[in-house]
C-alpha cells in the first residue's frame, strides 16, 4: 500500500510529479546557466496557456486559421509569400514583438499596434537570421491557448534548416493541429516521424488533423462542405491516419474569419449580386477570374470584387448571395451562416475536448520530454536517479495508457467486440475527459447517479478484464478501461 493510501491523502497527480522531477533536474544543472534557464522556462510554461503547434502543408491555411481561432487579424496570410519562421502568438497585456536569432538572442521590435504587415516584414528575414518571432497580443482568444505557426512541412524554409527546427517546435508544443488540404504521403510521414521520439512512443502527442480550406473541396461550390465531411469520414476510418491523429475534421478558416469581419457594406455589395438572375449569378461565379474581370453588375468595381473574394472565397460569396436571394440575408444571419459553414465551432470544440481538457497529461508529457532532452544532451554523474524517475513516470502513468489504448482502438490494432468498442472509447476520454462525458451522462445528472453508473461500468469492465474467453490483448485493454473506471469512482 502506498504512503498516500495510509494517510488518506490523494496521491500527487501526474503533472505534479512531472513538475517535481523538473525541479529536481534543475538542481543538477545549477552550474550550467544555459540549461538551467532553459529548464526554468519550461517550469514557468506549466502555468502558462497550453501551447498548440499549428503546422502542416505550405499554403494549407495555417495563418488564416490562427486568425479565425484568435478572432483577430494578426497572422499574415498570402497567396504567394510563405511563412518562413516559427511564429508564436501568445497573450500579453500590451502588443509586443520579440525576434530571436538561431542562437537565442532576443531583440525587441518596437510596435504600438499589431498588424499582419509588420509581422510579414519580419517573417521575410532568413531563417538563419531570425529563428523565431514571438507576438504578444492582448486578444482574449489567446488567454487559454498559445498558437505556434511553423513553416509549412516540406517548405523551402524547412528544407534549408533541415527538419530539426520543425522537430524542435513539436517538442515544445503540448499538442498539434495539423493542416492539410488532402492527406498525402508527406503528411503521414511527418506525423509518423513526430511520433518516433521516445516519449511520443509511450505518450502519443495529441494531434488533430484538419482538412483545411474545406470550402474548396471538389468544385468549391455549394456541395463543398458535405464533400469535405465525406473525405474527413474516410480518413477517420483510415488506420494509419487514426493512429497519429485522434480527430479528423474539415475546416474553412477563411469563412470563420469572414464571419467575424463581414460588414454592412459587404452585405450591400452581396445584395447587388443577389439581384442578378440566378443563372447569371452562377455563371459569374464559375471562376475567380471571371468574377473579378466581369462588369456585371457595373456598380461593383474590380477592387471590391477582389477584396470580397480574398475575404470570403468563391464559396463564401456564392453562399452569401444565395442566402440573400432567398430572403434570409441580413448581416446577423449571414455571419452565422458563414460561421456554420466554416466548422470553426467544431474545431474549437475538438481543441477543447482533446487538448484543453487533457492539459494536465499534455503538460506532463512536455515536461518529461524536456527532462529527457536535457539528460540526453548533457548527461551528469548522479543523474541516474533522475533518469530512473523519468522512466518510472513514463512507464506508469495511466494517462499514457489511456492515450495509447485510444490510438490502438482507433487504428484497429485492438478491436473490442460490438458495443464495447465505443463504450471503451468513451470511458477512456475520446469524447471528452470530464466524468459525465466519460460516463455518457448529461450535465444535469446527480452525483449519486454518476457514482452508480461508474460502479456499473467498473463491474462490467472487471468481468471483461478477467474473462478467460478473451485473449490477453483484450484483457489487457479491459484492464486499462477498468483503471479509468476506478478513477471515475474516486472522482
Ligand atoms: N477558400 C479558402 N481559402 C483559404 C482558406 N484558408 C486560407 N485560404 C487562402 O489560402 C491562401 C494561403 O493561406 P494562409 O493562411 O496564408 O496559409 P498558410 O498555411 O499560413 O501559408 P504559409 O504559411 O505560407 O505556408 C490565402 O490566399 C488564403 O486566403 C479557406 O479556409 N478557404
Ligand atoms: Mg502562414
Amino acid at each position: 500500500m502506498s504512503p498516500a493510501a495510509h494517510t488518506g491523502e490523494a496521491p500527487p497527480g501526474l503533472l505534479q510529479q512531472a513538475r517535481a522531477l523538473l525541479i529536481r533536474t534543475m538542481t543538477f544543472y545549477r552550474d550550467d546557466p544555459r540549461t538551467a534557464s532553459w529548464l526554468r522556462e519550461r517550469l514557468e510554461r506549466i502555468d502558462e496557456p497550453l501551447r498548440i503547434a499549428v503546422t502542416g502543408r505550405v499554403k494549407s491555411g495555417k495563418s488564416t486559421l490562427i486568425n479565425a481561432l484568435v478572432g483577430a487579424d494578426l497572422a499574415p496570410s498570402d497567396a504567394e509569400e510563405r511563412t518562413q519562421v516559427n511564429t508564436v502568438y501568445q497573450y500579453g497585456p500590451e502588443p509586443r514583438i520579440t525576434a530571436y536569432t538561431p542562437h537565442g538572442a532576443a531583440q525587441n521590435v518596437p510596435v504600438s499596434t499589431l498588424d499582419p504587415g509588420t509581422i510579414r516584414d519580419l517573417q521575410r528575414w532568413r531563417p538563419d537570421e531570425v529563428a523565431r518571432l514571438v507576438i504578444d497580443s492582448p486578444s482574449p482568444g489567446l488567454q487559454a491557448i498559445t498558437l505556434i505557426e511553423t513553416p509549412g512541412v516540406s517548405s523551402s524554409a524547412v528544407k534549408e534548416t533541415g527538419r530539426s527546427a520543425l522537430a524542435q517546435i513539436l517538442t515544445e508544443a503540448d499538442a498539434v493541429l495539423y493542416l492539410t488540404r488532402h492527406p498525402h504521403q508527406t503528411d503521414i510521414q511527418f506525423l509518423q516521424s513526430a511520433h518516433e521520439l521516445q516519449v511520443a512512443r509511450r505518450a502519443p502527442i495529441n494531434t488533430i488533423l484538419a482538412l483545411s480550406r474545406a470550402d474548396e473541396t471538389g468544385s468549391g461550390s455549394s456541395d463543398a462542405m458535405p464533400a469535405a465531411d465525406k473525405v474527413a469520414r474516410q480518413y477517420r476510418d483510415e488506420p494509419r491516419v487514426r493512429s497519429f491523429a485522434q480527430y479528423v475534421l474539415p475546416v474553412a478558416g477563411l469563412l470563420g474569419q469572414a464571419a467575424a469581419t463581414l460588414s454592412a457594406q459587404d452585405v450591400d455589395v452581396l445584395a447587388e449580386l443577389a439581384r442578378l438572375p440566378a443563372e447569371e449569378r452562377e455563371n459569374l461565379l464559375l471562376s475567380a477570374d471571371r468574377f473579378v474581370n466581369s462588369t456585371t453588375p457595373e456598380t461593383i468595381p474590380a477592387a471590391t470584387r477582389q477584396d470580397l473574394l480574398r475575404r470570403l472565397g468563391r464559396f463564401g460569396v456564392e453562399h452569401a448571395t444565395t442566402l440573400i436571394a432567398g430572403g434570409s440575408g441580413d448581416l446577423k444571419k449571414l455571419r452565422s451562416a458563414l460561421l456554420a459553414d466554416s466548422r470553426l465551432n467544431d474545431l474549437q470544440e475538438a481543441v477543447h475536448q482533446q487538448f484543453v481538457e487533457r492539459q494536465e497529461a499534455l503538460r506532463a508529457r512536455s515536461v518529461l520530454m524536456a527532462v529527457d532532452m536535457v539528460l540526453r544532451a548533457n548527461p551528469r554523474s548522479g543523474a541516474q536517479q533522475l533518469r530512473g524517475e523519468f522512466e518510472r513516470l513514463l512507464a506508469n502513468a495511466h494517462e499514457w495508457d489511456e492515450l495509447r489504448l485510444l490510438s490502438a482502438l482507433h487504428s484497429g490494432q485492438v478491436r473490442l467486440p460490438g458495443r464495447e468498442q465505443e463504450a471503451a472509447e468513451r470511458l477512456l476520454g475520446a469524447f471528452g475527459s470530464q466524468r459525465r462525458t466519460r460516463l455518457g451522462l448529461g450535465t444535469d445528472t446527480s452525483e449519486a447517479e454518476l457514482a452508480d453508473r461508474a460502479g456499473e461500468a467498473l463491474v462490467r469492465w472487471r468481468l471483461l478484464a478477467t474473462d478467460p474467453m478473451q485473449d490477453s490483448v483484450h484483457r489487457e485493454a479491459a484492464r486499462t478501461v477498468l483503471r479509468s473506471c476506478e478513477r471515475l469512482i474516486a472522482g
Side-chain angles (χ1 to χ4, degrees):
M1 194 183 275
S2 70
H6 273 303
T7 59
E9 279 172 28
L14 175 60
L15 181 56
Q16 226 176 320
Q17 294 181 59
R19 186 198 294 262
L21 175 64
L22 182 63
I23 293 171
R24 265 203 304 285
T25 309
M26 282 167 70
T27 61
F28 269 80
Y29 290 89
R30 260 194 303 234
D31 58 344
D32 172 353
R34 226 182 124 163
T35 306
S37 93
W38 190 85
L39 286 168
R40 195 169 321 108
E41 207 179 295
R42 293 302 187 281
L43 182 66
E44 283 162 6
R45 274 190 197 163
I46 297 178
D47 300 311
E48 291 171 0
L50 203 65
R51 297 166 74 83
I52 301 176
V54 181
T55 184
R57 298 289 279 282
V58 170
K59 292 281 162 277
S60 53
K62 301 179 289 297
S63 301
T64 306
L65 186 64
I66 287 178
N67 290 335
L69 286 170
V70 176
D73 200 11
L74 288 177
S77 72
D78 265 298
E80 290 94 34
E81 287 280 337
R82 290 174 173 186
T83 304
Q84 299 275 13
V85 296
N86 290 315
T87 309
V88 179
Y89 297 91
Q90 66 179 24
Y91 183 80
E94 304 289 338
R96 194 166 67 173
I97 302 182
T98 318
Y100 289 86
T101 68
H103 303 293
Q107 194 191 347
N108 197 6
V109 183
V111 282
S112 51
T113 52
L114 289 173
D115 63 85
T118 314
I119 300 173
R120 176 182 296 121
D121 289 345
L122 291 162
Q123 282 178 338
R124 285 194 183 130
W125 285 77
R126 290 167 44 94
D128 55 348
E129 293 164 330
V130 170
R132 163 188 315 218
L133 289 173
V134 178
I135 317 292
D136 283 26
S137 156
S139 301
L142 286 169
Q143 272 170 336
I145 50 173
T146 290
L147 296 168
I148 309 170
E149 179 173 356
T150 75
V153 170
S154 76
S155 68
S156 56
V158 168
K159 280 189 188 130
E160 264 176 47
T161 51
R163 295 170 74 88
S164 61
L166 196 55
Q168 193 199 335
I169 276 294
L170 292 187
T171 62
E172 279 190 32
D174 300 309
V176 171
L177 187 54
Y178 189 94
L179 268 63
T180 178
R181 296 165 79 181
H182 319 279
H184 184 265
Q185 193 61 18
T186 325
D187 303 305
I188 310 279
Q189 275 167 0
F190 174 80
L191 290 169
Q192 199 160 19
S193 62
H195 283 77
E196 269 162 12
L197 300 159
Q198 190 209 351
V199 176
R201 271 207 302 267
R202 172 75 192 134
I205 183 159
N206 257 28
T207 304
I208 292 177
L209 178 64
L211 302 181
S212 56
R213 299 176 63 164
D215 55 310
E216 295 175 321
T217 311
S219 59
S221 57
S222 53
D223 51 7
M225 293 313 288
D229 278 327
K230 199 167 152 210
V231 178
R233 268 199 306 277
Q234 279 164 1
Y235 282 104
R236 226 171 275 156
D237 293 337
E238 160 85 41
R240 279 213 310 162
V241 172
R242 293 194 72 169
S243 59
F244 302 124
Q246 287 78 35
Y247 227 90
V248 184
L249 75 180
V251 71
L254 191 70
L255 296 180
Q257 214 187 344
T261 59
L262 197 75
S263 67
Q265 285 99 306
D266 295 329
V267 179
D268 291 344
V269 177
L270 291 163
E272 281 187 60
L273 290 171
R275 282 195 283 276
L276 296 173
E279 203 179 328
E280 202 171 329
R281 210 170 57 223
E282 270 169 33
N283 273 334
L284 185 65
L285 284 165
L286 274 179
S287 80
D289 282 348
R290 190 183 284 219
F291 177 59
V292 172
N293 297 325
S294 167
T295 48
T296 318
E298 277 180 345
T299 42
I300 310 179
T304 309
R305 291 166 191 258
Q306 216 139 23
D307 177 61
L308 262 190
L309 266 189
R310 185 182 58 78
R311 290 177 34 236
L312 274 72
R314 206 156 53 88
F315 174 95
V317 174
E318 188 180 313
H319 192 191
T321 47
T322 310
L323 283 173
I324 298 175
S328 57
D330 63 70
L331 181 59
K332 211 169 139 204
K333 279 194 187 139
L334 286 179
R335 283 184 161 186
S336 61
L338 289 176
L339 185 63
D341 285 334
S342 75
R343 305 295 166 82
L344 197 65
N345 287 344
D346 294 345
L347 181 70
Q348 258 156 342
E349 201 179 305
V351 165
H352 189 82
Q353 214 179 66
Q354 301 297 315
F355 298 164
V356 180
E357 283 184 16
R358 285 186 192 282
Q359 57 177 305
E360 290 247 324
L362 300 185
R363 288 175 191 281
R365 177 187 172 286
S366 299
V367 167
L368 290 185
M369 194 105 110
V371 169
D372 185 38
M373 278 163 73
V374 164
L375 293 182
R376 272 171 205 277
N378 199 350
R380 286 282 163 101
S381 63
Q384 293 86 340
Q385 145 202 8
L386 294 176
R387 164 89 20 221
E389 177 87 348
F390 164 85
E391 301 284 355
R392 193 181 59 76
L393 276 182
L394 198 57
N396 294 343
H398 178 60
E399 284 81 350
W400 316 141
D401 291 334
E402 283 189 339
L403 287 175
R404 274 182 318 127
L405 179 54
L406 272 177
S407 288
L409 289 170
H410 282 158
S411 67
Q413 216 178 323
V414 176
R415 194 151 271 293
L416 295 170
R419 285 184 320 167
E420 314 298 1
Q421 175 91 7
E422 197 191 322
E425 288 180 9
R426 186 174 291 286
L427 287 164
L428 292 165
F431 308 111
S433 281
Q434 290 181 349
R435 258 175 106 204
R436 287 170 210 283
T437 324
R438 286 180 185 240
L439 290 165
L441 297 170
T443 44
D444 52 352
T445 319
S446 69
E447 191 54 41
E449 181 159 8
L450 280 176
D452 280 353
R453 296 292 281 274
E456 284 162 24
L458 182 90
V459 171
R460 165 154 200 76
W461 286 94
R462 187 179 285 144
L463 277 177
L464 287 167
T466 49
D467 184 354
M469 300 297 283
Q470 302 286 340
D471 63 27
S472 62
V473 173
H474 288 100
R475 281 202 303 269
E476 170 83 40
R479 260 201 302 280
T480 300
V481 183
L482 175 64
R483 285 200 58 201
S484 297
C485 295
E486 285 166 358
R487 290 182 158 210
L488 291 176
I489 292 203

